[in-house]
Amino acid sequence: MTQDWPLYEVFVRGKRGLNHVHVGSLHAADDAMALTHARDLYTRRNEGVSIWVVRSEHIAASTRDEKDPFFAPSADKVYRHPTFYDIPEDVPHI
Amino acid sequence: MVGREVGVSMTSTGTEASAAGWDEARLSEQFDATIAKDQRIEPRDWMPDGYRRTLIRQIAQHAHSEIIGMQPEGDWITRAPSLRRKAILFAKVQDEAGHGLYLYSAAETLGADRAELTDALIEGRQKYSSIFNYPTPTFADVGVIGWFVDGAAICNQVPLCRCSYGPYARAMVRVCKEESFHQRQGYELLLTMMRGTDGQRAMVQDAVDRWWWPSLMMFGPPDDDSPNSARSMAWKIKRHSNDELRQRFVDMTVPQAEKLGVTLPDPELSWNEERGHHDFGTPDWSELQRVISGDGPRNVERVSRRRAAHEEGAWVREAATAHAAKQAARTQETARTQKTEGAAA
Amino acid sequence: MSDDHVYLSLAEGHDDSDARWAFGTGFEDPLHGVDQTVPEGTDSAQLAAFCLALGDDALVSAQRLAQWCTAAPELEEEVALANIGLDLLGQTRLLYARAGQVDGTGRGEDAYAYFRDADDFRNVRLAELPNGDFAFSITRLLVLSSWRLALFERLATTASDPVLAAIAAKGVKELAYHRQYAAEWVVRLGDGTEESQRRTRDALAAIAPYVDELFADDGELRTEVLAVLRQVTDAAGLVLPEVAPVPGHGRDGDRTEHLAPLLAELQSVARAHPEATW
């Protein structure tokens, strides 16, 4: 039964300079197999330079109901977003 | 599910919610508002049980369809008549396995277990798309499946890229991008064959005659006979009705058929200037019913092949698990020994 | 619903500069920039025959892997085995194309694959044996990929034909992955359960008589490859038995009874429509 092969979450870095992004999950018996499977499943079309696999059970996640206090609403801290600032178009490199 | 919640035990939705002091009405409001704003529901969000259950069933059946769908075309890899076609078909069928895996993965974010879903498929408790219960007697069927079946799947799947459940929508984006090659390779094969020998042209027309009506049936029964559709549409896990998608598919495919030089086996097919769409005949819904309920030409074979692979593969999966356990034990033993030696030193 | 082409609507709401989705159409041609002329002093007939034999190995192996489709022990293995099969099919096509350029006939890849009989094939016999169970197939893959990798590593740097050298260089990366995949599985199966151990032991016993043929009289190659295999079998707790080799040689045209039916299936549609283009 595949329930004996634990669930792994897969993170792929698409190219240098980017973060790893969560792309999905798969089942594998051990870490080596998980990496092999992740390479076959998620980077078949050369979509990654780096793969991380983590046993799903090892991921600690924030609880769904803590949403409001945990994630401060971005609506009242708009100064964190670049679009907040109106800069003339002819200023280069900004 | 992705991850375990730190500090809160995995209890039912309602208990967690009330433990955190949020009442179900408030959560339900938030859920509805998210959907109304066309935003995504993610795995950690509160959701009605009906939404979760409907999604699990829909995603699982979609996944099962990809896996079962490997069979009618997979049979032709060994006999593909050119190395290029062989490679293309091998890659396509491989993609289908991959799509099934992405979708099982999406279903698991909702709390389903892949092994249980596999059992449900093998035991006939969950279904897959009726189209894969038809046989593929010639190589032209490979082309027509790419053209019709992948074409219909794309009609269905592109809107799902905007469905309300995040992991499913993202899986659909990945699937659609890969599937763009699937339909094109099928149509290209047919173009080549239609420009070829008399034998090839006859093979194509014969395949078209056999696959047209079943492909229309892929979109499901007419809207009037689809009781669950309204709820799925309200939850935005279904974005268009069966009839809308079916019409879309017909309108797309008719000009493609003209370019190919094949006739579609429907004498009622004609452009309706007023509606701005093609009129077409009525599929034989009793055939769809029969095939769905297990009485299609290949139902038994498709499921038994999946069952056989799963059962015959059990010893392999068990061996991998056993080895992993032994490795873990060895690693622990080594660490313990080193610790002891370190302490003794 | 958008009236645009269905694929255009995919772009709506998705940042297409996201490098995760780096599909595109920019495929690399492994022979780009490689001089295609046969070098002075190279025996064309020999080079063609060699490319053909290596192509036959890959085609027959790819066919056996394709027979695992929808029968693999887990869905992830479906994807992995297809990946390996596709790599080998790619090698087949490059090698057959080179043979056609060099043997003076100008034949294309399909002429070699579909319109030669079993008697004309020159693959090693280990490749044509039936798949058996997963233990047999994966152990066979270990042996063949370890051997082919060692061979291609040599060819990449020492082949006098620059095209063959380029094909081998590309193949090395693929084969290293095939060998690693197979090795990990042989260790899992050898170490796993009593049943998997027994099956893998049986596989090694069935494969052993066909191993000698791989090395011809290249003692260095034999030593290197057997050492690699021993590393894996040691980790798996098993042994590749030393047995008397099967008489004859696949490279000389000796065959088992398994190639003819394999080719009959492979060639059936192409031969039914000999004038057709696909």
Side-chain angles (χ1 to χ4, degrees), chain B residues 322-337:
Chain B
H323 169 69
K326 288 185 189 178
Q327 279 297 89
R330 287 178 197 128
T331 313
Q332 268 188 351
E333 188 51 49
T334 311
R336 205 175 314 139
T337 317

XYZ file of all heavy atoms in Angstrom, chain B residues 322-337:
119
model
N 10.529 -1.471 3.657
C 11.346 -2.260 4.580
C 12.782 -1.757 4.587
O 13.398 -1.598 5.647
C 11.301 -3.732 4.188
N 13.311 -1.480 3.414
C 14.682 -0.997 3.321
C 14.821 0.353 4.029
O 15.788 0.571 4.769
C 15.111 -0.871 1.856
C 16.398 -0.140 1.651
N 17.619 -0.660 2.037
C 16.663 1.084 1.129
C 18.581 0.206 1.737
N 18.028 1.268 1.194
N 13.870 1.236 3.820
C 13.922 2.558 4.448
C 13.915 2.425 5.969
O 14.660 3.116 6.676
C 12.761 3.419 3.979
N 13.096 1.500 6.463
C 13.027 1.280 7.912
C 14.350 0.743 8.439
O 14.862 1.188 9.470
C 11.897 0.322 8.246
N 14.924 -0.217 7.698
C 16.216 -0.780 8.113
C 17.294 0.294 8.121
O 18.120 0.372 9.032
C 16.639 -1.913 7.171
C 15.838 -3.179 7.322
C 16.427 -4.281 6.421
C 15.524 -5.489 6.372
N 16.080 -6.537 5.469
N 17.294 1.142 7.077
C 18.282 2.214 6.997
C 18.157 3.150 8.181
O 19.152 3.550 8.780
C 18.097 3.029 5.699
C 18.717 2.387 4.479
C 20.219 2.256 4.602
O 20.734 1.252 5.111
N 20.936 3.261 4.146
N 16.929 3.494 8.519
C 16.687 4.401 9.640
C 17.202 3.782 10.930
O 17.864 4.446 11.735
C 15.205 4.715 9.751
N 16.948 2.486 11.111
C 17.403 1.782 12.310
C 18.918 1.739 12.365
O 19.529 1.963 13.410
C 16.824 0.378 12.349
N 19.547 1.492 11.208
C 21.014 1.446 11.159
C 21.608 2.796 11.517
O 22.595 2.897 12.228
C 21.503 1.057 9.752
C 21.295 -0.387 9.420
C 21.749 -0.695 7.996
N 21.178 -1.957 7.564
C 20.493 -2.145 6.438
N 20.296 -1.132 5.614
N 20.006 -3.329 6.123
N 21.011 3.841 10.993
C 21.503 5.192 11.258
C 21.417 5.505 12.744
O 22.348 6.049 13.334
C 20.694 6.238 10.474
O 20.572 5.802 9.118
C 21.354 7.604 10.520
N 20.279 5.117 13.340
C 20.099 5.354 14.778
C 21.121 4.579 15.587
O 21.694 5.088 16.552
C 18.702 4.895 15.214
C 17.678 5.986 15.159
C 16.369 5.554 15.784
O 16.176 4.372 16.111
N 15.476 6.484 15.963
N 21.349 3.326 15.174
C 22.285 2.448 15.872
C 23.697 3.032 15.808
O 24.416 3.062 16.809
C 22.241 1.045 15.248
C 23.020 -0.004 16.012
C 22.673 -0.044 17.487
O 21.473 -0.084 17.823
O 23.608 0.011 18.312
N 24.069 3.517 14.640
C 25.391 4.110 14.472
C 25.539 5.338 15.368
O 26.556 5.513 16.040
C 25.604 4.548 13.000
O 25.246 3.464 12.154
C 27.047 4.953 12.752
N 24.498 6.153 15.401
C 24.539 7.372 16.207
C 24.679 7.027 17.682
O 25.447 7.644 18.417
C 23.288 8.198 15.968
N 23.942 5.998 18.086
C 23.979 5.573 19.479
C 25.365 5.047 19.848
O 25.920 5.400 20.891
C 22.937 4.489 19.731
C 22.478 4.427 21.187
C 21.368 3.418 21.372
N 20.352 3.538 20.350
C 19.760 2.496 19.751
N 20.091 1.269 20.062
N 18.851 2.685 18.819
N 25.930 4.237 18.946
C 27.259 3.677 19.182
C 28.294 4.785 19.299
O 29.124 4.786 20.206
C 27.678 2.725 18.036
O 26.570 1.906 17.701
C 28.869 1.880 18.427
